[in-house]
């Protein structure tokens, strides 16, 4: 009985930690803090210090960012990314893959501009929200897919791969780069946006070493709910 209880507690701790990682990627910092605190407490009881330290780090990241605009800031960055893409590319018939779609704002905007879009996320809740938002915007052909970067299972390649606020954790750099290499068609493009985190620079260097050309990096500022926000967008080209 004691062994079963410990096993269940460890399982619940890992679930809380996994969900905290998902919520921090969605910029939902209040939920991240709550889930990370739960994981920290459970791992502490189990004596799993390495896992507890990761929970502490996530909780600290959430506390650090609680003063930001939370999920609303992510919505701004997604909209800014879609606006930049529309300026750059002729999207008619373009096959697009969105990674870490969350609300799917970029995917929906690109679908409405003529692209054929597949929105992916690791969280089923995010995919439900993406599908709902697509329906509200008349994007009935937009597709969603549950995607694990560590075990990707997509078919075919894409002319354009986009992601907003997905370059967070160094441990995910290798699987994310693998997804980009697998699914970006020869001569295709990758467009990534974030708020200017330091993690983006080493990740872009990894992309360069993998054969991507770092074409452009934009910076935009806009007024949003009385706050000034900076958006950074990196564009990568896959060699043809």
């Amino acid at each position: 009985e004691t062994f079963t209880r410990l096993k269940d507690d460890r399982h619940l701790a890992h679930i809380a930690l996994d969900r905290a990682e998902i919520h921090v990627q969605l910029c939902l910092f209040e939920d991240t803090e709550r889930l990370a605190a739960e994981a920290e407490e459970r791992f502490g009881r189990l004596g799993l210090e390495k896992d507890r330290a990761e929970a502490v780090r996530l909780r600290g990241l959430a506390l650090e960012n609680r003063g930001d605009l939370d999920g609303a800031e992510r919505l701004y960055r997604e909209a800014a990314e879609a606006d930049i893409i529309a300026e750059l590319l002729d999207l008619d018939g373009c096959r697009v893959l969105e990674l870490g779609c969350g609300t799917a704002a970029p995917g929906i905007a690109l679908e409405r501009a003529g692209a054929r879009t597949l929105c992916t996320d690791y969280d089923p809740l995010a995919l439900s929200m993406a599908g709902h938002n697509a329906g509200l915007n008349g994007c009935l052909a937009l597709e969603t897919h549950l995607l694990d970067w560590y075990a990707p299972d997509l078919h075919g390649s894409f002319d354009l791969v986009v992601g907003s606020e997905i370059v967070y954790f160094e441990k995910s750099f290798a699987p994310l780069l693998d997804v980009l290499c697998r699914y970006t068609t020869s001569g295709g493009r990758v467009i990534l946006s974030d708020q200017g985190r330091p993690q983006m620079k080493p990740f872009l260097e990894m992309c360069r070493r993998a054969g991507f050309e770092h074409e452009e990096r934009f910076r935009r500022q806009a007024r949003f709910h009385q706050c000034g926000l900076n958006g950074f967008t990196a564009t990568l080209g896959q060699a043809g």
Side-chain angles (χ1 to χ4, degrees):
E1 181 181 351
T2 301
F3 174 77
T4 301
R5 186 170 61 250
L6 288 174
K7 181 179 178 181
D8 289 345
D9 209 32
R10 178 179 296 188
H11 179 64
L12 291 172
H14 280 291
I15 288 175
L17 186 63
D18 288 345
R19 292 189 64 81
E21 288 190 353
I22 290 168
H23 280 76
V24 80
Q25 292 179 40
L26 292 171
C27 298
L28 300 175
F29 299 118
E30 184 175 350
D31 289 336
T32 300
E33 181 186 352
R34 173 180 56 80
L35 290 162
E38 177 188 341
E40 178 186 352
E41 191 271 335
R42 289 183 183 276
F43 284 131
R45 287 205 312 265
L46 294 167
L48 300 174
E49 285 304 311
K50 184 176 180 180
D51 292 318
R52 191 187 74 83
E54 177 63 13
V56 169
R57 188 187 69 80
L58 280 175
R59 189 180 180 197
L61 183 63
L63 288 169
E64 180 183 342
N65 288 279
R66 279 285 295 276
D68 291 344
L69 290 177
D70 227 39
E73 182 170 354
R74 177 184 170 90
L75 285 174
Y76 158 74
R77 300 194 197 289
E78 290 178 336
E81 178 187 64
D83 180 50
I84 289 170
I85 294 168
E87 289 180 8
L88 284 173
L89 301 175
D90 176 9
L91 295 169
D92 192 29
C94 182
R95 191 157 187 246
V96 175
L97 170 65
E98 183 179 3
L99 301 174
C101 66
T103 63
I108 290 168
L110 300 177
E111 182 86 12
R112 288 175 63 89
R116 293 175 294 129
T117 306
L118 175 64
C119 293
T120 65
D121 206 291
Y122 184 63
D123 188 353
L125 179 61
L127 293 179
S128 295
M129 180 167 52
H132 177 72
N133 290 340
L136 290 177
N137 287 275
C139 296
L140 302 182
L142 184 143
E143 298 180 64
T144 62
H145 183 82
L146 188 70
L147 179 64
D148 181 354
W149 296 349
Y150 290 86
D153 58 352
L154 302 177
H155 300 288
S157 57
F158 297 82
D159 308 301
L160 175 64
V161 181
V162 301
S164 178
E165 299 287 348
I166 63 172
V167 182
Y168 271 88
F169 305 115
E170 289 188 13
K171 68 178 184 180
S172 71
F173 284 6
L176 174 55
L177 179 57
D178 178 58
V179 168
L180 297 182
C181 291
R182 281 180 185 233
Y183 298 116
T184 306
T185 191
S186 177
R189 281 185 170 180
V190 176
I191 298 183
L192 304 172
S193 69
D194 75 347
Q195 59 181 284
R197 289 187 177 84
Q199 293 96 322
M200 182 67 86
K201 184 176 180 180
F203 180 70
L204 292 178
E205 177 58 26
M206 287 179 63
C207 291
R208 186 192 65 78
R209 292 198 301 268
F212 286 94
E213 298 175 357
H214 182 191
E215 296 179 351
E216 295 154 337
R217 188 164 173 86
F218 299 88
R219 173 175 176 172
R220 292 190 172 189
Q221 186 174 48
R223 299 300 299 179
F224 188 73
H225 288 211
Q226 307 304 315
C227 297
L229 297 175
N230 288 312
F232 298 80
T233 300
T235 304
L236 302 170
Q238 177 73 294

